[in-house]
Amino acid sequence: MRLSRPFFQLPLLFDVTRLQAEVAALPPEAWVAHPDQAPGNSAVRLITPGGGETDGVQGRMAPTPWLEAMPYLKQALAGFGVVWSRSRLMRLAPGAGVPEHADINYHWHTRVRLHIPVQTWPEVRFHCDGEVVHMGPGEAWVFDNWRRHHVENKAGGERIHLVADTTGTAAFWRFVNASPPPRAQWRKVGWDPAARHPLLTEVNDRTVIMPAAEVQWLLDDLREELALAVDTPDVRQRAALFSQLLESFVFDWRQLCALHGVNGRAAAEFQHLAGAFGQAARPLAEGLVMRTNGAGALLVLDKRVLQHLVDLDAARQREGLS
């Protein structure tokens, strides 16, 4: 989800001592390697599909046994009153970092990532779109992960953050965007054994075929973000043709949805259309980038739309093939 600036610090302070105690009580087997195998990166899965040991983002999300063993951390998440998707503890070894990247895949089109540092050091720096912050222990931050960002841990100790994904409610976004009061007036969020906030978790059940309205929304957003890497007549012409191709694709996808529906019975026809669309886009995409993060238009198109137009895993599950 694109935001109006790289970082937002929320006027909240969590009990660092209790957070650290709950994390320290986790057994070594709770920590797993980062799904991208980034050196020095490891994680504890907290909210996952079915509460299982997976890094997926589709299905009915639920707390894992590791989260159930951390009542204060679970209460902290529940207190936001938002629906949580995949959430983890993310650990960076001393001297390790998160390589520069932008989160432009489909999952991130409508979600942001909340960070609550549990263990950190002044030498830990978070970079996003040219701005640099140190997220202090017990603070709460939201950042625009659509922009290019990276993290570096130049400290001698491990950095551990609670990292949780959400779309947020209207009240959440009013809170994020409001001008914060002086730090002395920030709300301290302590452990409350009487609190009964339910932990709300996402149900992400995709149709086999992406509905036409969603395709239109994604591609309209992509067209608004297109920019020229080099302003030449040739690139301008390709940008115009690329935009026309996007518009034509939506019309054709809508017609297939009207003819076949979105339950996957005619998945092969939708796949054929998507494949032809991708082939037609490739020679036009050179020199076209995204204004926000500088990624190539075709890369964003692939990650945001083409890889998710037809959900074959969902089709197999509905047909009992997996």
Side-chain angles (χ1 to χ4, degrees), residues 32-43 55 88 90-91 98 113:
V32 296
H34 190 277
D36 294 334
Q37 302 300 312
N41 285 248
S42 54
D55 294 302
R88 296 172 287 190
M90 304 294 285
R91 183 172 65 180
V98 177
R113 178 161 279 182

Side-chain angles (χ1 to χ4, degrees), residues 201-316:
T201 55
E202 183 175 286
V203 178
N204 187 7
D205 287 337
R206 286 275 315 281
T207 58
V208 177
I209 305 300
M210 186 182 291
E214 188 170 1
V215 173
Q216 172 110 47
W217 174 46
L218 287 168
L219 294 187
D220 283 350
D221 182 74
L222 175 59
R223 290 168 71 187
E224 290 177 5
E225 280 286 294
L226 283 177
L228 310 182
V230 181
D231 190 357
T232 65
D234 178 60
V235 175
R236 284 198 299 272
Q237 182 182 27
R238 277 191 273 115
L241 292 173
F242 191 87
S243 182
Q244 291 172 12
L245 181 66
L246 294 175
E247 184 177 11
S248 298
F249 175 74
V250 172
F251 280 122
D252 291 341
W253 193 267
R254 186 182 296 121
Q255 283 296 289
L256 282 183
C257 288
L259 180 62
H260 299 296
V262 295
N263 63 7
R265 283 194 299 264
E269 291 192 39
F270 288 92
Q271 283 185 293
H272 177 74
L273 176 60
F277 172 49
Q279 288 183 345
R282 282 181 176 82
L284 299 176
E286 184 180 353
L288 302 182
V289 297
M290 307 302 290
R291 289 188 181 90
T292 306
N293 57 38
L298 189 61
L299 171 65
V300 175
L301 182 62
D302 283 345
K303 290 196 172 185
R304 292 265 294 277
V305 183
L306 291 182
Q307 294 178 355
H308 305 275
L309 289 170
V310 181
D311 189 345
L312 293 179
D313 288 336
R316 292 189 187 97

Side-chain angles (χ1 to χ4, degrees), residues 64-212:
T64 65
W66 310 123
L67 179 56
E68 296 290 8
M70 293 184 282
Y72 176 58
L73 192 149
K74 182 179 178 182
Q75 184 182 99
L77 285 172
F80 282 91
V82 300
V83 175
W84 295 107
S85 182
R86 182 179 62 183
S87 302
R88 296 172 287 190
L89 290 170
M90 304 294 285
R91 183 172 65 180
L92 273 180
V98 177
E100 186 176 64
H101 66 289
D103 297 308
I104 56 178
N105 61 33
Y106 179 78
H107 175 79
W108 293 112
H109 188 67
T110 57
R111 295 172 183 84
V112 292
R113 178 161 279 182
L114 172 80
H115 277 248
I116 298 178
V118 175
Q119 178 174 300
T120 189
W121 314 89
E123 297 89 349
V124 176
R125 289 288 184 267
F126 202 119
H127 301 251
C128 184
D129 197 24
E131 293 190 19
V132 185
V133 301
H134 169 67
M135 300 179 179
E139 297 176 348
W141 293 76
V142 169
F143 80 101
D144 185 351
N145 54 341
W146 173 249
R147 305 173 194 245
R148 298 198 65 79
H149 57 277
H150 69 281
V151 185
E152 53 189 8
N153 178 13
K154 295 184 177 180
E158 296 174 336
R159 185 226 71 170
I160 300 173
H161 279 199
L162 167 62
V163 178
D165 303 347
T166 184
T167 59
T169 61
F172 174 82
W173 285 111
R174 285 195 296 270
F175 183 63
V176 170
N177 287 293
S179 298
R183 189 179 178 98
Q185 299 175 22
W186 289 9
R187 182 161 67 91
K188 294 180 173 58
V189 186
W191 165 247
D192 181 1
R196 293 295 180 266
H197 302 300
L199 181 69
L200 306 176
T201 55
E202 183 175 286
V203 178
N204 187 7
D205 287 337
R206 286 275 315 281
T207 58
V208 177
I209 305 300
M210 186 182 291

